[in-house]
Amino acid sequence: MSETATTRRNGALSLPNLLTYGRIAAVPAVVVCLFWPEDVWTRWIALGIYITAAVTDYLDGWLARAWSQQSALGRMLDPIADKLLVAACLLMLASDGTIHGWSMWAGIIILCREILVSGLREFLAELRVSVPVTRVAKWKTTFQLLAIGFLVAGPAGERVLPGTITIGIVLLWLSAVLTLYTGWDYMKAGIKHLVEEDALRP
C-alpha cells in the first residue's frame, strides 16, 4: 500500500472520521424532517436518522482506538458533531412544542453546559491540559441521547408506546441534573488550572 493511501486511511478519510462526517450531515437531515412535526412518517424518518447518528457516536471512537486511527481531526470534530446534533434537535423540539413549559429549562441547562464545556476545553487546550471524560459524563450522554430519541419520536411514538413523550421528558430532566453535576466538575478542574497558571506568572 502506498504512503498516500496509508495517510488517507489513517487521516481525513479514515472510517472513524467518515462516520463523524456522516453524523454532521445527519443534523440538517433531522432538522428538515422535524419541520413537519405532525407528520407521522417524517417523525419516524427523523428518528431513524437520529438513531443511526447516535450509534456512529459510539462506533467512530471505538473503531479509531481499535484500528489505531485516532487523529487530531477526529478529536476536534467528534465533540462538535455531538453538540450540533443535540443542539439542533433540542431547538426543533422546543419550536414544535414537544419540549415546553418548565421542561424548557432542562434543554437550556443542557445547551448552556455544552457551551461552557466547549469554551473551557478550548482554553485549557491552550495550556496543554486535557480534561478526561468521567463515568458520570458518559451516563449523562447516554440519558441525553435516549431522551432526545424518545422526544424525536414524539406523537408518532405515542401511537406505538403511550407515554413516549413523558419518558423523554423524564430522561431529559435526568440528563439535565447530571449535566449540572458534570458541568460543575469541569468548572472546578478549569478554575484549578487557572489558579495554578496565575500562580506561576511572575
Side-chain angles (χ1 to χ4, degrees):
M1 184 179 291
S2 67
E3 184 177 348
T4 302
T6 302
T7 301
R8 287 183 175 179
R9 187 189 66 186
N10 294 322
L13 298 181
S14 66
L15 181 57
N17 282 345
L18 291 175
L19 290 175
T20 303
Y21 303 152
R23 194 155 74 257
I24 294 173
V27 175
V30 172
V31 167
V32 167
C33 289
L34 291 177
F35 265 109
W36 293 274
E38 300 303 323
D39 186 271
V40 173
W41 286 109
T42 55
R43 280 281 189 172
W44 287 123
I45 293 170
L47 180 62
I49 297 170
Y50 174 80
I51 290 174
T52 302
V55 170
T56 66
D57 183 28
Y58 167 78
L59 278 180
D60 58 6
W62 183 82
L63 289 174
R65 292 187 294 273
W67 294 353
S68 299
Q69 292 186 349
Q70 293 166 305
S71 66
L73 179 63
R75 287 193 296 272
M76 179 192 73
L77 288 181
D78 185 63
I80 291 174
D82 297 342
K83 289 170 176 54
L84 287 174
L85 184 63
V86 169
C89 286
L90 287 176
L91 288 172
M92 292 304 295
L93 291 168
S95 72
D96 70 18
T98 304
I99 300 174
H100 63 278
W102 286 101
S103 297
M104 292 285 288
W105 282 104
I108 291 170
I109 288 170
I110 290 170
L111 288 177
C112 287
R113 184 264 190 191
E114 297 296 351
I115 295 170
L116 170 69
V117 172
S118 294
L120 190 59
R121 284 185 179 277
E122 182 178 349
F123 175 77
L124 292 178
E126 296 177 2
L127 303 179
R128 299 186 180 278
V129 174
S130 63
V131 181
V133 178
T134 64
R135 185 179 296 274
V136 178
K138 291 179 180 179
W139 277 108
K140 184 273 300 181
T141 300
T142 300
F143 285 126
Q144 187 173 280
L145 290 174
L146 286 172
I148 294 175
F150 277 100
L151 294 171
V152 166
E158 291 284 348
R159 299 187 178 190
V160 178
L161 176 65
T164 292
I165 295 176
T166 301
I167 293 171
I169 293 297
V170 170
L171 289 171
L172 189 70
W173 273 110
L174 183 55
S175 61
V177 171
L178 294 177
T179 287
L180 287 173
Y181 179 83
T182 56
W184 175 241
D185 267 357
Y186 282 122
M187 275 296 295
K188 284 194 298 183
I191 291 171
K192 177 185 175 183
H193 288 296
L194 280 171
V195 172
E196 291 175 352
E197 177 73 11
D198 288 339
L200 291 174
R201 291 180 180 177

